Structures are given as C-alpha cells and as structure tokens.
C-alpha cells in the first residue's frame, strides 16, 4: 500500500485497548494519520509522545492527541474503545445502561465533526453497544460494526491448531453470535488446509472427541476471564484483531471476518447486532455468508440472538 493511499484513523479511549491498537497501527504502518482522544488528556498525550519517539524505528505518520472530538474530523474510521468496566456486584444490565449512556454521548460528539465515518465499536457489551451506536448515529448499517468475535475466532484457530500441532494460519473456523457467554464455535464448518475436520481426523493421530471439543470451546469462551484474572485486562489480541478489520477496510481487501453488525434476515434473525462471517471492504460490511449450519448450531445461534435482543429491549430500543 502506497503512502498516498493510507487514511486517518481516530481512536476514542487511551486505555489498555486504545493504547494497544495505537501501538499496533504505528508498528504496522497502516495509516497516514492517527488521532488518540481521551478525556484524560495527559494520558492521551503520554501515549502519543511514547509512540512518536518510535517513528524513526517504524513508519512515518502523523499522530496527535487531545480531549476534543474535533480530532475525529477527516477520519475514515473511528474506533470507540472508551467505556466503563463492570464493578463488583454490578449486573450486566447495569453495565449496559452505563455504557449505553457513554456510547450515545461519544457517537453524537463524533458526528458533530465527522458526519460519515465507519464506526468500529469495542466498548462492552460490544454487540449491544454496536446496536446503540447504529440507532443513535443514523449511519448505514454497513458502516457501524464492531470487533465482534474476530478475536474469539482467532482464539479458536489457535487452540485447535495447538491440539493438532499445526500452524493456526492453516485453519479456517469461526465463532459466531454474541461476543460473550452465548457465543458458539461452528464445528460443522472447520476447515484444515482445505480438508474438513471429519476427514482430517480420520488421518490424524490426535483425537478430537466431544470432550476435546467441549474443552476447546470452553477455553475460547473463557479466555478473556482467564487473562483478566491474571493481568487485569486483555489488550494485545484485541488490538491485532482491530488491525485486521481496519486493514481490510482501508485496503478494500473484502476479507471474511466475524465482525458484529446489524443482522437483517440471516438464519431468520432480524434487528439485532451479532457476529457472522462477513465480507469487510472499503464501505464496511459488504455482505454476510449465510452458509448452512447444523440444526444444533442454528438453534444455538437463535438462543444467542435472543439473549442480545433481550438486553437491547431493556435499554428501550
């Protein structure tokens, strides 16, 4: 990608995830301009100063920091990582309500200075916040997406590759539905170097029994909890997942990624944001792959959608 084709990205929030994404954007040389916005202006300035000192060792780019949403002007993509963390004793609905208020405010401030960006939501619970951002912004559904289960799918690939002692890049498999406890791994469509899981297992000395699958799927679902328990937050994995999404948009790669966006009839599901294998290009989500699921998987996907729909309705949408 030539220097002239690179665009501007604005990151809202200079916390662990925002900082990890900003670092990855700097090291990968994906953008021409980067704006880091946080209400704690000293934190944003500190991150940008630190990144700026690496310019001679990475790729030249413009980086600016501030607490003003004017920095969103001209950004092709705005990534929202800001939000409240769940407090001890706080319910998921409590977190939904608090972050919905925050996301509403952020979205309207972005649009004051940038009326037509692609919004990538990262604030949790991310599927519900994507729906809130969509309704509050009035932007086309293709332009309001989230990180969804891109990282969950990467975890699935990593853990399954470890099980088979393979390079994760040779595995194609997806986690779909909610980015959360009701998500599901799509075992029926696992592909290993062009070979179905069933055919691969018949020639492999590593068993993949139901108990093995359950263990892998549980690890995928609980990985974030395990990481947070040990280091306080996840950052690097989601930072690179976001890079993958941003690159596909800026380069118009039309990559298939499990981002979360408004579902408009796939598998009979409507009016909820959740993750499905989606074609991501310069305009955002350009299509959804409605490949067949086995009956149990489709039922699980509907249950996941129902969980999210309930949370959305509790917010009054």
């Amino acid at each position: 990608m030539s220097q002239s084709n690179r665009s501007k990205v604005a990151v809202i929030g200079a916390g662990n995830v925002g900082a990890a994404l900003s670092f990855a954007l700097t090291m990968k040389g994906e953008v021409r301009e980067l704006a880091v916005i946080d209400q704690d202006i000293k934190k944003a300035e500190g991150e940008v100063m630190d990144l700026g000192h690496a310019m001679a060792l990475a790729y030249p780019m413009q980086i600016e920091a501030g607490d003003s949403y004017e920095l969103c002007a001209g950004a092709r993509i705005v990534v929202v990582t800001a939000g409240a963390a769940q407090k001890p004793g706080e319910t998921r609905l409590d977190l939904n309500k608090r972050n919905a208020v925050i996301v509403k405010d952020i979205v309207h401030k972005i649009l004051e200075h940038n009326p037509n960006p692609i919004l990538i939501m990262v604030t949790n619970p991310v599927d519900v916040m994507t729906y809130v951002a969509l309704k509050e912004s009035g932007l086309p559904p293709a332009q309001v997406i989230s990180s969804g289960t891109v990282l969950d799918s990467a975890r699935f690939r990593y853990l399954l590759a470890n099980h088979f002692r393979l390079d994760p890049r040779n595995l194609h498999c997806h986690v779909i539905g909610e980015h959360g406890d009701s998500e599901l791994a799509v075992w029926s469509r696992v592909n290993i170097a062009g070979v179905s899981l069933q055919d691969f297992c018949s020639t492999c000395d590593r068993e993949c029994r139901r108990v093995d699958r359950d263990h892998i799927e549980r690890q995928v679902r609980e990985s974030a909890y395990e990481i947070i328990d040990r280091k306080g937050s996840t950052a690097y994995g989601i930072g690179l997942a976001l890079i993958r999404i941003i690159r596909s948009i800026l380069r118009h790669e039309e990559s298939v990624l499990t981002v979360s966006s408004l579902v408009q009839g796939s598998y009979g599901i409507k009016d909820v944001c959740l993750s499905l294998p989606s074609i991501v290009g310069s305009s955002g989500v350009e299509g959804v792959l409605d490949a067949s699921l086995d009956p149990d998987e489709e039922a699980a996907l509907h249950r996941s959608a129902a969980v999210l729909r309930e949370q959305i309705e509790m917010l009054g949408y």
Side-chain angles (χ1 to χ4, degrees):
M1 180 175 58
S2 69
Q3 181 82 7
S4 61
N5 288 335
R6 295 192 297 168
S7 297
K8 178 178 178 179
V9 170
V11 177
I12 312 297
N16 291 330
V17 173
L21 170 59
S22 299
F23 175 75
L25 284 168
T26 302
M27 293 302 100
K28 294 282 188 179
E30 293 293 339
V31 296
R32 177 175 52 82
E33 295 180 59
L34 171 64
V36 180
I37 302 163
D38 197 289
Q39 62 183 0
D40 183 348
I41 190 169
K42 288 187 176 180
K43 178 67 162 64
E45 288 175 343
E47 295 293 351
V48 166
M49 288 172 65
D50 201 5
L51 292 171
H53 297 161
M55 287 296 96
L57 307 171
Y59 297 90
M61 59 189 289
Q62 290 180 272
I63 313 179
E64 52 189 343
D67 58 0
S68 171
Y69 283 77
E70 292 179 8
L71 295 180
C72 290
R76 177 71 183 123
I77 298 170
V78 180
V79 185
V80 180
T81 74
Q86 193 164 345
K87 297 178 180 178
E90 187 176 40
T91 67
R92 190 172 198 171
L93 179 57
D94 291 333
L95 181 64
N96 274 350
K97 289 179 177 177
R98 288 203 297 138
N99 275 344
V101 172
I102 292 170
V103 165
K104 287 179 188 178
D105 182 58
I106 288 173
V107 166
H108 289 296
K109 287 178 177 176
I110 291 168
L111 295 179
E112 285 178 15
H113 303 284
N114 188 339
N116 193 38
I118 291 177
L119 291 179
I120 302 180
M121 303 302 298
V122 190
T123 306
N124 277 317
V126 75
D127 301 290
V128 179
M129 293 305 108
T130 304
Y131 191 91
V132 171
L134 174 65
K135 293 302 179 181
E136 293 296 325
S137 70
L139 291 169
Q143 290 177 217
V144 183
I145 66 179
S146 83
S147 50
T149 57
V150 174
L151 177 55
D152 308 75
S153 296
R155 287 170 174 153
F156 188 20
R157 293 171 68 188
Y158 168 77
L159 291 165
L160 193 56
N162 273 3
H163 178 78
F164 287 125
R165 302 192 186 104
L166 292 172
D167 180 344
R169 293 172 298 181
N170 293 136
L171 278 76
H172 292 278
C173 47
H174 297 128
V175 174
I176 62 174
E178 177 196 15
H179 170 61
D181 295 339
S182 70
E183 67 186 23
L184 62 141
V186 185
W187 290 96
S188 66
R189 299 213 302 256
V190 172
N191 177 296
I192 303 171
V195 179
S196 70
L197 180 63
Q198 181 178 354
D199 289 343
F200 185 86
C201 287
S202 68
T203 63
C204 175
D205 62 356
R206 299 282 290 168
E207 294 184 23
C208 195
R209 302 162 296 173
R210 180 72 259 176
V211 65
D212 299 314
R213 296 187 186 193
D214 289 345
H215 178 64
I216 289 170
E217 193 164 351
R218 186 169 59 254
Q219 284 183 286
V220 171
R221 188 178 296 114
E222 297 177 359
S223 287
Y225 300 130
E226 295 288 338
I227 294 169
I228 290 168
D229 183 58
R230 287 163 172 78
K231 57 170 278 190
S233 69
T234 61
Y236 305 134
I238 187 61
L240 288 174
L242 289 164
I243 285 286
R244 188 70 190 84
I245 299 166
I246 291 168
R247 177 188 298 153
S248 192
I249 294 169
L250 295 183
R251 297 187 181 188
H252 191 48
E253 289 182 343
E254 297 185 317
S255 298
V256 176
L257 302 168
T258 52
V259 296
S260 178
S261 64
L262 183 68
V263 182
Q264 305 181 75
S266 298
Y267 305 103
I269 297 169
K270 293 182 179 179
D271 200 31
V272 66
C273 291
L274 54 72
S275 293
L276 293 171
S278 304
I279 301 168
V280 179
S282 59
S283 59
V285 171
E286 300 183 350
V288 174
L289 303 185
D290 289 345
S292 61
L293 302 170
D294 74 25
D296 288 343
E297 290 169 345
E298 188 159 349
L301 180 61
H302 277 266
R303 288 194 295 271
S304 189
V307 167
L308 292 168
R309 185 66 240 167
E310 181 181 11
Q311 296 294 319
I312 289 167
E313 289 175 358
M314 286 180 176
L315 291 176
Y317 289 96

